[in-house]
Amino acid sequence: MQSTSKKAVLLIMIIMIALGLSAQHKPGVMFLKSLVVPGYGELSQGKSIGYAFIASEILLWGSMYYFQEESDLSERHAYEYALEYAHIKPGDYGNDYLHDLSKYDSSGYEAGGYNENVRRTAINLYPGDTDAQQDYIQDHAYSDELAWSWDDRDSRNTYTKHYKDIQHNKDYAQAMVGAIVLNHVVSGLNSLFTARNTNRRIEMGVELKEDMTPTFVASWRF
């Protein structure tokens, strides 16, 4: 992961250097500058709004890492709580397992158990076909290695709060990723339009010919 991050930073630096050596006010170049680093294209044109895009980028990245850390912390708390009150075995569990812990009192075939729900689902799906029912149960039921049993309903409810915190923080972190992408796009487009408006201008003036005759001239750039 760290190696990938270093490569990404190096790639961005190379792009920035390449763009910095390009024509300063070409709209396409300004767009790419701000697309890579929000605010870069605006600052290259002397536009102070570039600082706002840079500040937004820093804030969004900081928020994303914060929510990721909070999600990891909530997951750790939920795992440790389940170890103590649901009596799960130490291990590395996926999100589906953590979710099921919050929905069922146990993993067993007793009332309120996950496997009991699997058994009833198998009967509903394959009425009268015991072989198909058994196959379904074997494919979907939890084994003894993944067994759990909450001490009481209050314990499961407390764990459920921890699990919801995990999901909420993951959702917030994902929202920050979307906002970061949007910040890049908006800054790129803003820099593009700013450069176009700068380049699209009409210049007028008076020139003196060789015989000192004044001549009105006009030119425009697109």
Side-chain angles (χ1 to χ4, degrees):
M1 180 63 99
Q2 292 181 350
S3 177
T4 301
S5 299
K6 290 180 180 179
K7 290 180 180 179
V9 171
L10 179 61
L11 177 61
I12 291 175
M13 291 178 63
I14 293 174
I15 294 174
M16 289 175 63
I17 294 173
L19 292 175
L21 297 175
S22 302
Q24 289 299 306
H25 295 294
K26 284 186 177 181
V29 173
M30 294 301 104
F31 171 75
L32 289 176
K33 281 185 175 182
S34 286
L35 190 65
V36 174
V37 180
Y40 182 27
E42 287 87 348
L43 293 178
S44 296
Q45 301 174 67
K47 305 297 182 180
S48 59
I49 193 175
Y51 292 111
F53 284 108
I54 291 175
S56 297
E57 188 75 358
I58 294 173
L59 178 62
L60 291 170
W61 275 97
S63 297
M64 184 192 70
Y65 282 119
Y66 169 78
F67 288 123
Q68 286 180 340
E69 289 295 325
E70 286 296 301
S71 177
D72 292 342
L73 184 61
S74 296
E75 187 169 343
R76 183 65 185 177
H77 286 164
Y79 169 73
E80 291 176 349
Y81 192 86
L83 282 175
E84 183 173 359
Y85 296 101
H87 312 289
I88 64 174
K89 295 181 180 180
D92 185 15
Y93 300 106
N95 187 65
D96 288 343
Y97 182 80
L98 298 178
H99 173 264
D100 292 336
L101 282 174
S102 71
K103 302 294 290 185
Y104 298 93
D105 294 332
S106 72
S107 59
Y109 289 94
E110 66 275 5
Y114 177 86
N115 286 349
E116 170 60 18
N117 182 68
V118 170
R119 189 187 69 81
R120 287 189 282 105
T121 300
I123 293 173
N124 291 333
L125 289 175
Y126 308 102
D129 190 341
T130 55
D131 290 337
Q133 292 174 13
Q134 189 60 35
D135 289 341
Y136 182 89
I137 292 172
Q138 289 179 352
D139 290 339
H140 295 85
Y142 279 117
S143 65
D144 292 340
E145 291 297 315
L146 298 174
W148 76 86
S149 179
W150 289 104
D151 287 343
D152 50 49
R153 184 61 59 87
D154 289 339
S155 297
R156 182 165 71 83
N157 289 339
T158 300
Y159 169 86
T160 300
K161 293 178 181 178
H162 287 307
Y163 177 77
K164 287 182 177 179
D165 287 341
I166 298 172
Q167 300 309 305
H168 289 160
N169 285 307
K170 283 184 177 180
D171 291 341
Y172 293 147
Q174 190 63 36
M176 291 303 103
V177 173
I180 289 170
V181 173
L182 182 62
N183 192 49
H184 281 247
V185 174
V186 171
S187 180
L189 293 175
N190 179 71
S191 189
L192 172 65
F193 295 146
T194 300
R196 282 183 173 177
N197 290 335
T198 300
N199 291 333
R200 289 184 177 180
R201 62 178 183 268
I202 297 175
E203 299 177 345
M204 294 179 293
V206 177
E207 291 183 355
L208 294 177
K209 293 186 176 181
E210 293 182 355
D211 59 0
M212 302 303 293
T213 302
T215 304
F216 176 80
V217 295
S219 63
W220 55 90
R221 297 177 62 188
F222 293 91

